Amino acid sequence: MADALRTETVGGVLLLVAAVAALIWANIPALRDSYDSVSHFHLGPEALGLNLSVAHWAADGLLAVFFFVAGIELKRELVAGDLKDPKAAALPVVAALCGMAVPALVYTLTNLTGGGSPDGWAVPTATDIAFALAVLAVIGTSLPSALRAFLLTLAVVDDLFAILIIAVFFTADIDFAALGGAAAGLVVFWLLLRKGVRGWYVYVPLALVIWGLMYNSGVHATIAGVAMGLMLRCTPREGEEHSPGEHIEHLVRPLSAGLAVPLFALFSAGVAVSGGALGDVFTKPETLGVVLGLVVGKALGIFGGTWLTARFTRASLSDDLEWADVFAVATLAGIGFTVSLLIGELAFDGDAALTDEVKAAVLIGSLIAATLATVLLKVRNAKYRRMVEAEERDDDLDGIPDIYEQDDPAYHLRMAAIYENKAAEHRRIAELKAAERQGLAEVAGGAGEEGDRRA
């Protein structure tokens, strides 16, 4: 089960199932009250400032596990992946920034012209890593690995900046004493890692203390998860089969994909949806701005930022990718489920009706983006599948793909012999069939000469 949960496809399916379950639970009249009761049920130590609702625990606590894994992924990309090379890293990083700026601009313009609230400008800026990678894994079976690396880097940087937006723009009061304590805890965490101290019984309690202090400081607690993930060493030393970061990610990912993210979706996606509410998504400026930001703003921002960067700087697109691939991924990045729902709750805190409408807009915008991206990725995947089949073709059965032997005379001699053998076989079959037809004709002719009796 743990191995299954480590695959992006399974994690994405669980996220989708949890979101659908939340929508069903919150929209069946007989169950609606129980959904609200469970979501708003409080538990936790009041003395530590952690008497939170179940929904709050999911958004601030469990989601920190998800961002801890995202921080490890980002660190691995920085030290051993595509972000290690500044030229290769420039494109997805700029794409992520443009993919946040343009949706925010689209939302703001929509609300300024429509008389809506600009408070939700950050809602369409985030990309959901789990959903986007799951869709890519299911659809893009033959797509180049460079495309997944581009999307992963883009999404991780996107989510990192989204969390910074939460910390800067959606933090009302900061308790500097608690924030200083969290910073001191992070320093201790880093020093223990540098000293090579091992043992979950050391790091798990320390991580919980850092998380609690970060939460009480007023800064969004998921920042603690990202910070600790970035501190882990992700390059193996001599004698190590795997780095500590890889090992811990291997252990924690099933918890993130199988529990943390699905529970967050379960208690965040429970929006009361009706025909009128769905219609309002495309009529109210706040909700329309979210949908346009996710579907149009993300695609234009990411693709435009990538193209301009490649056009006017030394950064270049991977040789394995084409611009049509980048546009498909830019469309896929419009899936803004997890963090967009979180920012929607923070942006319109105190207005329950508008919060639910914005959540509905996030769901609809993400669904539209996922549908469009699926169509585009299927087209690209079909092309790459044909290329893979051509590259793997080995008609002469010598263990070397034919595409690499076009300049080898011996290859053409082998193929000529194969074709000659096939031609001889076809001639033999044709002669047998001709003989059979001739025999049938003779039998039929003989039958006709004997008083029209049946042969």
Side-chain angles (χ1 to χ4, degrees):
M1 186 181 294
D3 287 339
L5 290 172
R6 290 185 184 98
T7 63
E8 292 153 0
T9 308
V10 174
V13 169
L14 287 177
L15 182 59
L16 179 61
V17 169
V20 172
L23 288 170
I24 295 173
W25 191 1
N27 284 278
I28 294 178
L31 301 176
R32 186 177 303 158
D33 291 340
S34 66
Y35 181 82
D36 291 336
S37 298
V38 174
S39 297
H40 296 98
F41 180 77
H42 280 65
L43 68 157
E46 180 68 40
L48 299 177
L50 296 175
N51 185 242
L52 311 177
S53 67
V54 171
H56 214 157
W57 275 109
D60 286 275
L62 291 177
L63 208 58
V65 178
F66 167 76
F67 279 105
F68 174 70
V69 175
I72 297 175
E73 287 186 303
L74 179 58
K75 178 64 174 291
R76 191 172 63 247
E77 291 295 322
L78 284 167
V79 298
D82 284 354
L83 288 180
K84 184 178 180 180
D85 181 7
K87 291 183 179 179
L91 285 181
V93 170
V94 173
L97 295 175
C98 294
M100 299 181 78
V102 176
L105 181 61
V106 169
Y107 177 92
T108 303
L109 291 176
T110 302
N111 281 268
L112 289 178
T113 55
S117 170
D119 294 343
W121 62 271
V123 175
T125 60
T127 294
D128 189 283
I129 298 176
F131 253 146
L133 289 177
V135 171
L136 187 64
V138 172
I139 303 300
T141 53
S142 299
L143 292 173
S145 59
L147 195 61
R148 182 195 178 278
F150 183 91
L151 176 61
L152 176 62
T153 306
L154 163 73
V156 171
V157 174
D158 183 293
D159 275 353
L160 179 61
F161 278 97
I163 292 299
L164 291 177
I165 287 174
I166 292 172
V168 174
F169 296 98
F170 296 100
T171 300
D173 300 314
I174 296 180
D175 184 334
F176 287 100
L179 185 60
L186 288 171
V187 172
V188 173
F189 189 88
W190 180 76
L191 288 174
L192 290 174
L193 290 173
R194 293 279 292 179
K195 295 293 183 180
V197 176
R198 295 179 179 271
W200 64 268
Y201 46 84
V202 175
Y203 291 101
V204 171
L206 178 59
L208 291 174
V209 170
I210 294 171
W211 175 87
L213 289 169
M214 188 69 75
Y215 174 81
N216 281 288
S217 73
V219 176
H220 202 271
T222 50
I223 294 286
V226 175
M228 286 185 280
L230 288 171
M231 288 182 181
L232 292 176
R233 178 169 58 82
C234 292
T235 51
R237 290 175 179 169
E238 186 177 354
E240 289 182 340
E241 186 177 354
H242 300 289
S243 67
E246 291 174 311
H247 178 66
I248 293 173
E249 181 189 1
H250 183 78
L251 295 176
V252 178
R253 183 175 287 279
L255 176 64
S256 172
L259 182 68
V261 176
L263 281 179
F264 169 76
L266 184 64
F267 293 108
S268 294
V271 181
V273 178
S274 62
L278 293 175
D280 289 343
V281 167
F282 297 97
T283 56
K284 288 191 173 182
E286 294 88 353
T287 51
L288 180 61
V290 170
V291 173
L292 291 178
L294 289 173
V295 177
V296 179
K298 276 288 184 183
L300 292 180
I302 293 172
F303 183 80
T306 306
W307 186 85
L308 290 173
T309 304
R311 175 69 176 81
F312 295 106
T313 69
R314 293 183 178 181
S316 59
L317 193 65
S318 170
D319 293 336
D320 295 333
L321 300 180
E322 297 181 5
W323 287 109
D325 303 325
V326 176
F327 185 76
V329 165
T331 306
L332 182 62
I335 302 176
F337 189 81
T338 309
V339 183
S340 290
L341 290 175
L342 177 62
I343 295 177
E345 291 180 352
L346 298 173
F348 299 103
D349 187 25
D351 191 339
L354 187 54
T355 299
D356 284 348
E357 290 171 351
V358 168
K359 285 184 176 181
V362 170
L363 296 176
I364 292 173
S366 298
L367 179 61
I368 294 172
T371 303
L372 292 174
T374 297
V375 174
L376 294 173
L377 288 171
K378 273 186 170 294
V379 173
R380 301 302 302 166
N381 192 65
K383 176 186 175 181
Y384 282 109
R385 186 169 59 247
R386 290 192 297 269
M387 291 173 61
V388 169
E389 291 172 354
E391 289 182 354
E392 293 178 349
R393 187 171 181 176
D394 184 19
D395 288 339
D396 61 343
L397 302 177
D398 67 340
I400 302 174
D402 297 342
I403 194 171
Y404 301 113
E405 298 183 291
Q406 297 302 310
D407 297 330
D408 184 4
Y411 161 75
H412 294 286
L413 290 174
R414 289 194 299 271
M415 291 304 301
I418 290 173
Y419 290 138
E420 287 172 1
N421 290 334
K422 287 183 178 180
E425 180 65 17
H426 286 304
R427 280 195 297 268
R428 187 183 66 81
I429 294 173
E431 289 171 357
L432 288 175
K433 289 185 176 180
E436 289 176 1
R437 286 195 296 269
Q438 184 177 358
L440 289 174
E442 290 175 355
V443 171
E449 294 172 355
E450 297 182 9
D452 295 326
R453 287 182 296 136
R454 293 176 63 87

